Each structure stands twice: as structure tokens, then as C-alpha cells.
Amino acid sequence: MSPTATTVLVVPLLVFAAPLLARSVSRWAAVPVVVFELGLGVVAGPALLGWVGESELFGRLSDLGVNLLFFIAGTEITRSAVRGRTARRAWLGWLISITVGIAAGFAVSPGLGAVIIGISLASTALGTLLPILRDSGDLTTPFGVAVGAIGAAGEFGPIIAISLFLGGRSFGTASVVLLLFGLIAVVAMIQAGRTSHRRLHAFVESTLHTSAQFAVRTVLAILAVMVFLTVQLGIDMLLGAFTAGIVWKLLIRDADEQTQRSVEAKVDAVAFGFLVPIFFVYTGVKFDLQSLLDHPLAFAWIPVVLVALLLIRGLPSMLAAPEGAGRRERIATGLYGATGLPIIAVATDIGVRQDVLTGTQAAVLVGAGVLSVLLFPLAASALRPGSVERDPAAPVVEE
């Protein structure tokens, strides 16, 4: 059987198995399904069973998956993420994290490698945390709003840093290009938010249960346009995906509430039922386990980096904890803030391709990111036993 045929068979089976495994252990611990997706990718990848390897088809689908992940993160951005007390504290925390992270990076890999390490240590996996917050009913609570603001800073900030420092241009040129994209994005957001878009909403509603599925097609079109624009400008495509999510939210915000829920469910089905799991499985496949096996002492660095995530990203994230939060809730806020993986995977991949990080260094960082996704949300949930299920349609609490 050809490698492509094997991939077409094995990857869907891995995606199918991941939630079953998550459910099977749920009676003991609420392990995020992404952990199993990553783990299955590692097991099926070149380092162990060798059933699946890197391929162009797999890589393209993975790119679509990570773009949809950041698109959904953009749709979840509230006013609290960009203005007010919570936003100010979230961005202050991120600035502290990126400064300390780069300083720590210089001790390991001076130069551009330090920037990549700093970006990795200053990231927050908002796209990974959103399903966890939804499932726990925390998304619309003050705690969920705070984590959302921290996650926005921890994803949007690193994306900007990647575009400025890792795009192959001088800092000045990269800044001008980024500013140009920012102006285009602002114009698109203003245009999307200035009218009610009743015709769009009516067309979306009329095709919700037909083969036209105009809402999903519109989402993919907006995503494609914004990603294409960033690629043409030579900046990170995740910035375009994130912006596309914000634009879509503005376009659909005045639609009937039931329509919004239906559209959200359809987009989630495409994203979390198909493309996003492929991204995480592919991340596991690309995980350079062999480099760690070749250098066993490198395994000892994974818990060190995990602690660094807590100190460098987690502690500053506590600044944005809800006003009046107790000690346990502040610690839980920091744990969520220190949960990082997608940006780590993206940044380290760039580092390896540009020969400023070794495969072992990248594997250590990604390995710590995987452990953060496994351990930190579990610990945060244990610290907040009083959290209860809430109606996802409940009004979002703004601070």
C-alpha cells in the first residue's frame, strides 16, 4: 500500500479513536481530546509504528485545521479582550511574559533562537482552551472572560511577533507590512460592523438545512481571502485566520440567536470534527521523538520547560484574574494562561526550518506544550470544583 493510501486510511481512524479514548478515561480524569490526538500521532508516526509519515496532503489539511482553529479563536473574542481592565492586565501580563521569555531564551540559544523560545514561552492556547471552557460552562463567566482575554493576548501577541521577527524581512519593513495589513483588517472590521447585513442573514437562514450551506461557504471564503492576503504580504497566515474570525463574528452578530447557534455548530463540526484533529494528529506525527531518544538527557529538560511556562506565562497571566477572585481562582487563571501548544508547534517548526533551533530543542518545547495541555487544565478544574454548567447562550460578562 502506498504511503498516501496508508495516510488516508490511518489518519481518519486516529481522529475517530481520540474522543473514544478521552471518554474511556473521563470517569477518572477529564483529559482534553487534543492530548489523545497528539499522542496517537506520535505513536503512529515515524518514531514508533511508522504507519504515517509527513506528506503534502496531510500537511495541507493540517494547515487548514490550524487556520480554522485560529478563526474560531477570533470569533470568541469579546470586548474584554481588547479594552477595559481585563484586557489591559492581560496584555501587560503578555508583555512581561515575552520579555522574560526572550531573556530566558538567550541563555539557551542566543539570537533568533531566543526570540522563538520567548514566543513559545509567552503563548497561550486559546483555541485549545475554548472547547474546555465551553464544556465546563465557564465561557461566559467572569473567569471565562478573563481566560479569553489572556488567550487573545497569548495568541495574537505571538502571531504579531512571528510576523515581525520570523518573516525573513528587516524589522522596519516587517513593521510597515504589518501596519498595512492592520489597516486593511480595521477597514474590513468597520465595514462588517457598521450595518445589520439582513440580506446575508436571510440567505444564511434559508440555506441552513439545504445543500447550499451558505454560512459555511461564507466562513471558508472569508478565511481564504484573509489568509491569502497575509501570504501575499509575507506575514504569518494565522494572523489572517484570527482576523477572519473577528470579521465573521461582526457580520453575523445581529442575526437571529438560533441562526447564530446553528451556524456555530456547523463550523464547529467542520473544524473540530475534521480539520483541527488532523492538525493535532499531524503535530504528533511531526514530533521529533527520535531526537529525544538519541539524546536521553533532553527528556529532563521537558519538566524544566513546563515549570518555565508556569513561571514565565502563568504568573503574569494571574494579573488578569477576575476582580475579587480568590487565591484558588487566580492560580487556576495562571494555569490556563500557561497552557500552550499550537503557537509552540508553529514557532518551533519555523525555528527548525530556519536552522536556528535543533530538532531536539524543538521537541523539548513541543513536549512541554503537550504536557501543559494535559496537566494545567486538569489542575485548574480541580482548583475550581464549584464551577457549574451554564447555558452557552447566557450573556457574556464584560469587564
Side-chain angles (χ1 to χ4, degrees):
M1 188 180 293
S2 70
T4 300
T6 303
T7 297
V8 170
L9 171 64
V10 173
V11 172
L13 292 178
L14 298 179
V15 169
F16 169 76
L20 295 178
L21 291 172
R23 184 177 178 83
S24 68
V25 303
S26 61
R27 67 183 68 180
W28 299 289
V31 181
V33 68
V34 60
V35 173
F36 292 99
E37 291 163 356
L38 288 161
L40 289 171
V42 173
V43 171
L48 294 177
L49 298 178
W51 290 347
V52 182
E54 296 184 36
S55 69
E56 184 176 357
L57 171 64
F58 204 0
R60 296 298 183 190
L61 291 174
S62 175
D63 287 343
L64 284 172
V66 71
N67 278 313
L68 263 177
L69 185 65
F70 277 77
F71 173 91
I72 291 173
T75 66
E76 296 290 354
I77 294 301
T78 65
R79 285 186 300 156
S80 304
V82 295
R83 58 195 292 187
R85 170 193 175 276
T86 303
R88 289 194 299 271
R89 288 173 174 256
W91 281 100
L92 173 61
W94 183 78
L95 289 173
I96 294 172
S97 295
I98 191 68
T99 302
V100 177
I102 291 175
F106 267 100
V108 178
S109 179
L112 196 57
V115 176
I116 293 174
I117 293 172
I119 289 171
S120 299
L121 295 177
S123 66
T124 298
L126 177 60
T128 305
L129 293 176
L130 286 175
I132 298 173
L133 291 171
R134 282 183 186 175
D135 293 344
S136 68
D138 282 323
L139 191 59
T140 58
T141 66
F143 177 78
V145 169
V147 173
I150 292 165
E155 282 201 339
F156 201 65
I159 292 172
I160 293 174
I162 289 172
S163 298
L164 286 174
F165 296 106
L166 306 181
R169 293 189 176 101
S170 67
F171 182 82
T173 303
S175 299
V176 171
V177 172
L178 193 61
L179 180 60
L180 174 61
F181 175 80
L183 291 173
I184 296 172
V186 168
V187 170
M189 291 176 198
I190 292 174
Q191 192 65 31
R194 70 189 315 172
T195 61
S196 61
H197 305 287
R198 291 178 181 175
R199 289 185 177 180
L200 171 65
H201 300 162
F203 195 16
V204 165
E205 290 172 6
S206 68
T207 60
L208 275 176
H209 306 291
T210 71
S211 60
Q213 293 294 326
F214 188 69
V216 177
R217 299 184 190 209
T218 304
V219 163
L220 294 176
I222 295 171
L223 179 61
V225 168
M226 297 307 294
V227 168
F228 175 79
L229 181 59
T230 53
V231 170
Q232 292 301 112
L233 291 174
I235 57 182
D236 195 273
M237 65 181 179
L238 298 182
L239 185 58
F242 199 85
T243 304
I246 299 174
V247 171
W248 170 249
K249 183 178 180 179
L250 291 171
L251 286 171
I252 201 70
R253 65 177 180 175
D254 293 326
D256 178 75
E257 186 176 313
Q258 185 59 46
T259 299
Q260 292 188 48
R261 288 196 198 182
S262 296
V263 172
E264 181 181 324
K266 291 175 183 294
V267 175
D268 281 356
V270 174
F272 295 111
F274 175 38
L275 291 169
V276 172
I278 287 179
F279 162 69
F280 284 116
V281 169
Y282 194 51
T283 300
V285 168
K286 292 195 301 179
F287 181 64
D288 195 358
L289 179 61
Q290 190 60 49
S291 68
L292 293 178
L293 296 174
D294 292 340
H295 304 87
L297 289 178
F299 280 102
W301 280 99
I302 293 179
V304 173
V305 175
L306 190 68
V307 173
L309 282 169
L310 270 178
L311 298 177
I312 294 173
R313 184 68 189 122
L315 287 180
S317 295
M318 292 168 64
L319 291 172
E323 196 166 4
R327 181 173 61 88
R328 293 165 69 93
E329 190 161 47
R330 288 184 179 277
I331 295 174
T333 304
L335 286 166
Y336 272 125
T339 302
L341 182 62
I343 290 290
I344 296 176
V346 170
T348 54
D349 184 59
I350 294 173
V352 171
R353 284 191 279 108
Q354 295 188 2
D355 292 324
V356 295
L357 281 187
T358 66
T360 303
Q361 290 172 326
V364 167
L365 286 165
V366 173
V370 171
L371 284 181
S372 75
V373 172
L374 171 61
L375 299 177
F376 293 165
L378 288 175
S381 297
L383 286 169
R384 303 184 67 248
S387 62
V388 296
E389 288 283 330
R390 284 175 55 94
D391 181 356
V396 175
V397 178
E398 302 284 2
E399 294 189 5

